[in-house]
């Protein structure tokens, strides 16, 4: 038998031998372009593994956190990733998801959970952060109030499109929190969202953006002032030179 065929045979057998004795490792799930999207947006959910895989499936958790498995999607060689695309998401797509892949008859451990959140069901709330410039280790007061509807669950997000930027939340008629011991890495733009608690992954429009700056800000001298200073020095040198001539 040719060496190339022997190698392919060995790779196929060794992967299945590993699956028999060891549970195949978890895949990585990705949601593109973001996991906070307006209703009607296109979305791609992908499931990736560095292992060889035969099939993939996407599992949706219902409101009781019970998994509803989607169709098994056969992988195409090299079988490392599949993409599940939807051109226009609807309210029923808002849910918590994870994915798995199958090698031979063995399913992998599940990926980490990811929430697909659909925004735009309520008007924009209003976000206030006081102060917006603080020293490292300082604190900021955060307040987010409703745009009119009776919203009771609030989330403060760094940015507006990725739930992994989640900062804090509150169950009340408004979000009123204090962020303490801040670090420069927490500088950035913030927004808040609200929902009515009936479906916690159907959110309002994002609030206004507020920029937070953490750390010392060094003031630089204006360029015009530096230029004027250089001109004066140059003029003084010319006067000195003329006196010595």
């Amino acid at each position: 038998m040719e060496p190339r065929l022997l190698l392919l045979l060995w790779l196929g057998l060794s992967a299945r031998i590993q699956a028999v004795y060891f549970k195949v490792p978890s895949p990585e799930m990705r949601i593109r372009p973001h996991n906070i999207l307006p209703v009607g947006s296109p979305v791609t959910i992908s499931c990736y593994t560095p292992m060889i895989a035969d099939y993939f499936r996407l599992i949706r958790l219902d409101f009781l956190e019970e998994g509803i498995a989607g169709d098994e999607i056969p992988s195409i060689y090299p079988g490392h990733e599949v993409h599940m695309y939807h051109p226009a998401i609807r309210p029923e797509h808002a849910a918590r998801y994870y994915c798995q892949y199958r090698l031979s008859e063995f399913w992998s451990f599940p990926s980490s959970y990811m929430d697909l959140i659909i925004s735009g069901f309520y008007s924009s709330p209003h976000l206030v952060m006081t102060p917006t410039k603080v020293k490292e280790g300082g604190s900021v007061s955060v307040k987010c109030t409703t745009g009119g509807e009776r919203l009771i669950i609030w989330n403060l997000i760094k940015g507006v499109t990725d739930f992994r930027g989640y900062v804090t939340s509150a169950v009340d008629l408004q979000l009123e929190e204090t962020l303490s011991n801040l670090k420069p890495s927490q500088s950035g733009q913030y927004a808040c969202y609200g929902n009515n608690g009936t479906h916690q992954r159907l959110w309002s429009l994002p609030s206004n953006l507020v920029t937070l700056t953490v750390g010392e800000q060094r003031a630089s001298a204006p360029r015009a002032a530096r230029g004027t200073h250089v001109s004066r020095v140059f003029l003084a040198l010319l006067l000195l030179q003329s006196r010595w001539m």
Side-chain angles (χ1 to χ4, degrees), residues 25-230:
S26 300
E28 178 186 351
M29 195 176 75
R30 302 162 181 168
I31 298 180
R32 298 186 182 96
H34 311 288
N35 66 330
I36 303 177
L37 293 168
V39 63
S41 300
V43 68
T44 298
I45 301 177
S46 62
C47 193
Y48 167 79
T49 174
M51 300 280 290
I52 296 172
D54 295 327
Y55 291 90
F56 290 84
R57 69 181 179 188
L58 183 67
I59 296 92
R60 179 181 184 275
L61 298 180
D62 64 14
F63 67 98
L64 295 176
E65 299 295 304
E66 294 182 0
I68 302 170
D71 295 335
E72 293 185 18
I73 303 172
S75 64
I76 301 173
Y77 186 81
H80 294 323
E81 186 170 18
V82 297
H83 301 278
M84 289 149 276
Y85 172 76
H86 199 285
I89 52 175
R90 302 188 298 272
E92 58 266 29
H93 293 132
R96 175 165 290 176
Y97 294 91
Y98 67 90
C99 71
Q100 291 177 290
Y101 64 96
R102 180 159 68 84
L103 180 59
S104 188
E105 67 269 30
F106 297 93
W107 284 101
S108 70
F109 285 110
S111 69
S112 56
Y113 293 167
M114 287 196 73
D115 289 293
L116 177 57
I117 293 162
I118 303 180
S119 67
F121 290 88
Y122 313 101
S123 56
S124 298
H126 183 67
L127 174 64
V128 176
M129 300 180 76
T130 310
T132 55
K133 294 183 179 180
V134 295
K135 293 182 178 179
E136 184 173 356
S139 299
V140 168
S141 173
V142 178
K143 187 173 183 178
C144 191
T145 53
T146 182
E149 297 90 350
R150 186 178 177 84
L151 305 180
I152 61 169
I153 298 181
W154 299 93
N155 290 278
L156 178 67
I157 303 291
K158 185 178 180 183
V160 295
T161 57
D162 197 334
F163 191 59
R164 287 172 294 185
Y166 159 84
V167 178
T168 187
S169 64
V171 180
D172 204 340
L173 294 180
Q174 66 181 21
L175 170 66
E176 196 163 4
E177 298 278 345
T178 299
L179 305 181
S180 303
N181 194 26
L182 293 169
K183 300 176 175 57
S185 60
Q186 292 173 275
S187 296
Q189 289 189 314
Y190 288 80
C192 69
Y193 293 84
N195 68 75
N196 67 4
T198 304
H199 194 319
Q200 296 186 20
R201 294 178 184 90
L202 297 180
W203 286 9
S204 69
L205 290 166
S207 71
N208 55 302
L209 287 172
V210 177
T211 301
L212 174 65
T213 304
V214 181
E216 294 289 346
Q217 302 298 307
R218 296 180 180 178
S220 57
R223 291 185 178 181
R226 287 201 297 266
T228 303
H229 177 70
V230 171

